[in-house]
């Protein structure tokens, strides 16, 4: 059976080469008579994999000094709680930019742990556009400001990353890390669950500027401390070694393809194919997000009614186009076109969209 065109929102498509390489190492790793999954996490090969994955991530991003990478469990959702646990001191306020449901979740979690405020919100517009940041001037009692760079469910994405000055800007980049060039130094910290652009589920990459790392709270349980994770090189306890290894393969693939610049080029091309199919459909497909704020990772649209959307999802699946139903909380349609999704997949989907519109319009 051939591979389908996979538009799943996460876990998401991985390049076949990455899967095949992982398969070759699955039963036996580098002639050691056992797989990585059976090896001590304190063994030399595992330490080496963790070190190399960290290095490669920083190299791809172009942040060679001043930042450290941690590999943690619990997904990006754990970071929603760990950020305030580590950085929201009692006399400070965590400020959140709300631009979609994941950012709202992060804000709600922090509210259970300390004082929080909304810095800006697009909720009144039902997330159809990004909120105005107006220079983002933040009071001096701000512990940090949190921004979700790509809104996976709604399909919007920040193009201009705000400058938070001396206040640490913390980014949830789960659904667009490594997909475009950015001024990464605007962020004091960013994190990404692996299962969208970085590999399989099970591990979260957390990148923290050294000075912020030193300020992390050491009064909380050790397993939640960024400082303890850094001191132990992500080996405070047993990490998800296999997931980290797969991330390493995905990063090597990303580098071999031409790195972030190439991923950005492909993302532009992929997104343009789909938005063009939406915009030239004479209203048959309606984009959910205002054009300037549209995401290049998650393309969302609606159709005339739910029955037609259901039909689209069912029929497209028969053509091997998988994962196109919108998130259960918002409905509509969504094509997730992360780094592992090839341009051909988007070409096939765009052509299917035209065909479907001709038949049902
Ligand atoms: C998928 C996603 C999450 C949730 O990730 P988990 O690893 O499932 O906790 C959080 N934030 C964003 C932006 C996401 O896309």
């Amino acid at each position: 059976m051939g591979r389908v065109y996979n538009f799943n929102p996460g876990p998401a498509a991985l390049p076949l080469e990455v899967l095949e390489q992982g398969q070759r190492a699955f039963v036996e790793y580098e002639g050691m008579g056992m797989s990585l999954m059976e090896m001590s996490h304190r063994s030399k090969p595992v330490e080496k994999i963790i070190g190399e994955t960290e290095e490669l991530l920083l190299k791809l991003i172009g942040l060679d000094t001043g930042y450290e990478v941690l590999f943690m469990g619990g997904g990006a959702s754990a970071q929603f709680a760990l950020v305030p646990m580590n950085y929201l001191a009692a006399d400070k306020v965590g400020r959140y930019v709300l631009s979609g449901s994941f950012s709202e979740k992060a804000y709600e979690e922090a509210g259970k742990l300390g004082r929080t405020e909304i810095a800006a919100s697009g909720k009144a517009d039902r997330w159809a556009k990004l909120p105005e940041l107006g220079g983002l001037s933040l009071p001096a009692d701000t512990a940090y400001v949190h921004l979700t760079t790509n809104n996976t469910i709604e399909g919007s994405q920040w193009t201009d990353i705000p400058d938070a000055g001396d206040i640490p800007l913390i980014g949830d980049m789960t659904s667009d890390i490594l997909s475009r060039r950015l001024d990464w130094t605007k962020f004091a910290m960013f994190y990404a669950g692996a299962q969208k652009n970085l590999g399989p589920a099970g591990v979260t990459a957390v990148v923290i500027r050294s000075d912020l790392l030193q300020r992390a709270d050491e009064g909380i349980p050790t397993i939640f401390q960024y400082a303890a994770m850094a001191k132990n090189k992500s080996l405070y306890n047993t990490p998800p070694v296999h997931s980290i290894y797969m991330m390493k393969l995905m990063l090597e693939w990303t580098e071999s393809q031409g790195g972030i610049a190439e991923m950005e080029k492909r993302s532009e091309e992929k997104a343009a194919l789909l938005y063009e199919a939406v915009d030239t459909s004479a209203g048959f497909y309606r984009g959910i997000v205002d054009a300037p704020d549209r995401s290049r990772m998650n393309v969302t649209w609606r159709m005339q009614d739910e029955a037609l959307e259901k039909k689209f999802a069912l029929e497209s699946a028969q053509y091997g186009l998988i994962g196109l139903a919108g998130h259960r909380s918002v409905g509509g349609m969504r094509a997730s076109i992360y780094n592992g999704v090839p341009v051909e997949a988007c070409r096939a989907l765009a052509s299917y969209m035209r065909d479907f519109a001709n038949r049902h319009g």
Side-chain angles (χ1 to χ4, degrees):
M1 187 191 156
R3 293 201 17 106
V4 297
Y5 287 130
N6 181 355
F7 299 96
N8 277 334
L14 291 169
L16 181 60
E17 300 99 291
V18 168
L19 296 172
E20 284 174 345
Q21 251 183 305
Q23 183 186 40
R24 285 197 289 276
F26 195 78
V27 174
E28 184 175 26
Y29 185 72
E30 295 193 345
M32 299 193 65
M34 65 175 96
S35 75
L36 272 174
M37 289 165 287
E38 302 166 286
M39 236 175 256
S40 165
H41 57 293
R42 311 211 178 269
S43 62
K44 278 270 165 323
V46 173
E47 259 181 33
K48 188 161 170 260
I49 285 168
I50 293 177
E52 285 174 359
T53 310
E54 177 176 340
E55 248 172 58
L56 192 51
L57 180 60
L58 290 177
K59 184 178 164 204
L60 279 166
I61 290 169
L63 281 177
D64 30 21
T65 53
Y67 286 81
E68 284 191 48
V69 181
L70 314 177
F71 298 114
M72 301 185 75
S77 302
Q79 300 303 317
F80 295 170
L82 293 177
V83 165
M85 283 171 86
N86 279 271
Y87 294 120
L88 190 44
D91 58 341
K92 295 268 176 108
V93 179
R95 292 196 156 82
Y96 284 75
V97 176
L98 304 192
S99 51
S101 23
F102 279 122
S103 60
E104 203 173 29
K105 270 194 175 157
Y107 166 70
E108 283 164 6
E109 288 295 271
K112 296 176 185 167
L113 293 155
R115 285 200 296 149
T116 52
E117 265 179 32
I118 297 172
S121 175
K123 193 168 189 176
D125 297 310
R126 310 188 75 212
W127 311 126
K129 58 182 184 190
L130 297 171
E132 284 296 330
L133 293 184
L136 201 70
S137 65
L138 296 161
D141 66 354
T142 308
Y144 57 81
V145 57
H146 182 279
L147 180 85
T148 308
T149 52
N150 181 71
N151 301 289
T152 322
I153 293 174
E154 296 77 12
S156 65
Q157 186 175 28
W158 292 92
T159 313
D160 294 321
I161 303 298
D163 198 330
D166 291 337
I167 290 164
L169 175 64
I170 297 182
D172 176 357
M173 293 193 191
T174 299
S175 53
D176 71 346
I177 193 168
L178 300 190
S179 69
R180 55 176 172 161
R181 287 166 299 169
L182 272 186
D183 182 358
W184 305 83
T185 61
K186 281 187 175 167
F187 292 90
M189 168 180 166
F190 49 91
Y191 58 88
Q195 68 274 21
K196 284 147 194 173
N197 269 342
L198 296 177
V203 62
T204 305
V206 181
V207 182
I208 311 185
R209 205 174 59 207
S210 310
D211 62 296
L212 188 67
L213 194 50
Q214 277 159 20
R215 278 188 273 147
D217 193 339
E218 295 190 46
I220 57 177
T222 317
I223 187 72
F224 303 139
Q225 294 174 21
Y226 291 136
M229 285 297 142
K231 206 167 3 170
N232 291 283
K233 302 244 165 261
S234 299
L235 285 164
Y236 167 74
N237 71 325
T238 321
V241 176
H242 182 70
S243 291
I244 298 173
Y245 177 65
M246 291 303 295
M247 186 193 290
K248 177 173 178 268
L249 297 183
M250 183 63 188
L251 295 178
E252 285 168 353
W253 176 87
T254 306
E255 189 180 40
S256 76
Q257 300 296 301
I260 288 186
E262 177 64 21
M263 293 302 129
E264 178 177 87
K265 212 174 111 221
R266 288 184 198 174
S267 298
E268 274 170 20
E269 189 182 348
K270 289 187 284 181
L273 281 164
L274 300 186
Y275 286 124
E276 196 194 64
V278 168
D279 293 339
T280 57
S281 70
F284 185 78
Y285 303 112
R286 284 171 289 120
I288 295 175
V289 172
D290 285 10
D293 295 335
R294 282 170 165 180
S295 167
R296 290 180 190 157
M297 292 279 106
N298 308 95
V299 176
T300 54
W301 70 90
R302 280 187 209 293
M303 295 160 64
Q304 191 186 310
D305 54 44
E306 270 180 42
L308 203 56
E309 290 172 352
K310 218 172 227 150
K311 189 167 188 145
F312 183 99
L314 271 171
E315 247 194 60
S316 55
Q318 285 164 7
Y319 286 92
L321 303 158
I322 303 296
L324 293 166
H327 190 268
R328 58 193 171 346
S329 65
V330 294
M333 311 303 299
R334 169 176 58 172
S336 297
I337 50 173
Y338 304 119
N339 287 358
V341 176
V343 177
E344 305 88 82
C346 294
R347 219 169 267 133
L349 174 55
S351 132
Y352 174 77
M353 286 169 77
R354 283 203 187 87
D355 177 57
F356 188 89
N358 285 340
R359 283 186 285 114
H360 298 276

